[in-house]
Amino acid sequence: MNDGKKSHGGAKRGPSSKKSPRVTLIEGDGVGPEVIGAAISVIAATGVSIDWDRRSAGAAAMRQYGTPVPDALMESLARTRVALKGPLETQVGVGYRSINVHLRKAFDLYANLRPTVSFAGVHTPFRDVNLTVVRENTEDLYSGIEHEVAPGVVESVKVITARASTRIAKFAFDYARRMKRKSLTAIHKANIMKLSDGLFLKCARGVAKRYPDIKYSEQIVDAACMRLVTNPQSFDVLLLENLYGDIVSDLCAGLVGGLGLVPGANYGDKGAIFEAVHGTAPDIAKKNLANPIAAILSGAMLLDYLEHQREGDRIRASVGAVLRSGKTLTRDLGGKASTTAMTESIICAFART
Ligand code: ATP
């Protein structure tokens, strides 16, 4: 069970200067402004000063600038190389398959990290889950190569390269070693996709040899899903290609209480974007009902990255304390608290961390 104190950190940005770091802020669509507003308040309460460079994207930018990805946003990201981002709505027919995929590709944010831990006080059938999903972010069936071969016959191309597979495996093993995790499981379907998933596994095995301190294993994705819902405690770090990672990481969020609780980050060699796992949740947008914890914990991962890990740990401890007490829970967790009430409780809990 999460004691609320363990760092969720991925890579770090490197030595921080004394100045307030400049970070691009994208509030996003739907529940985005509410949950990102909560994350900003909690970060401010830690005392870390951040120079936020606010930029719009998605549907909000479409309304304002006529494009979901304005140049000003891309220029800001190119300058700051780090962002906190709310969920974005990708509108049909405006030239982007997915804005998130576009941003990840543009800045080569090849590693998606989702630390998924059980919290005391959150009722689910599963206890003591503590696993991290590491998902390759740039290729696989997300390459966007699709064509109609003949009427009624389409092909969607799955691209797997040795370069991308080796670098994501290295990222996952480095993460496992840094976070003192014990084992790593590569998840695949190489029994069917012998060449593509076979290459992914070959690269993972090659990297695994350099990390004898981390126990390496492999599992076929369907069997892994079964094991995740029967014995999730047996997993530690999971390494997956893009599509399996997308699906399995939402499954993992379900194990610990849902999308409102799981943070996420996308790392490249030169930058990172921190974002909650959930989408825009239009059904509860602008109602002060959204659970802000996923965004707040993504903010804690941002602080780790900016080398303010102590403050990141304090946020995690406060979130853990609020959930444990069970007094202030949003609707998705079976309570009646609003987004703002939960945010205030987390800030109040700082006094006890
Ligand atoms: P999108 O199209 O942007 O992915 P969506 O509604 O299809 O939006 P999610 O936003 O991931 O997908 O939401 C799925 C469900 O989970 C919705 O019913 C939503 O209300 C709920 N949900 C998502 N995020 C939260 C949150 N932060 N707090 C509470 N409920 C949430």
Side-chain angles (χ1 to χ4, degrees), residues 31 35 87-89 250 259-260 277-284 289-292 294 330 332:
V31 295
V35 298
L88 295 175
E89 183 186 326
D250 273 24
L259 294 170
V277 168
H278 62 77
T280 57
D283 51 329
I284 54 167
L289 290 175
N291 184 345
T330 42
D332 56 310

Side-chain angles (χ1 to χ4, degrees), residues 6-10 174-181 309:
K6 196 163 183 191
S7 168
H8 289 168
D174 280 344
Y175 170 85
R177 184 174 274 171
R178 192 167 52 252
M179 304 304 289
K180 303 196 174 11
R181 311 294 298 226
Q309 195 174 321

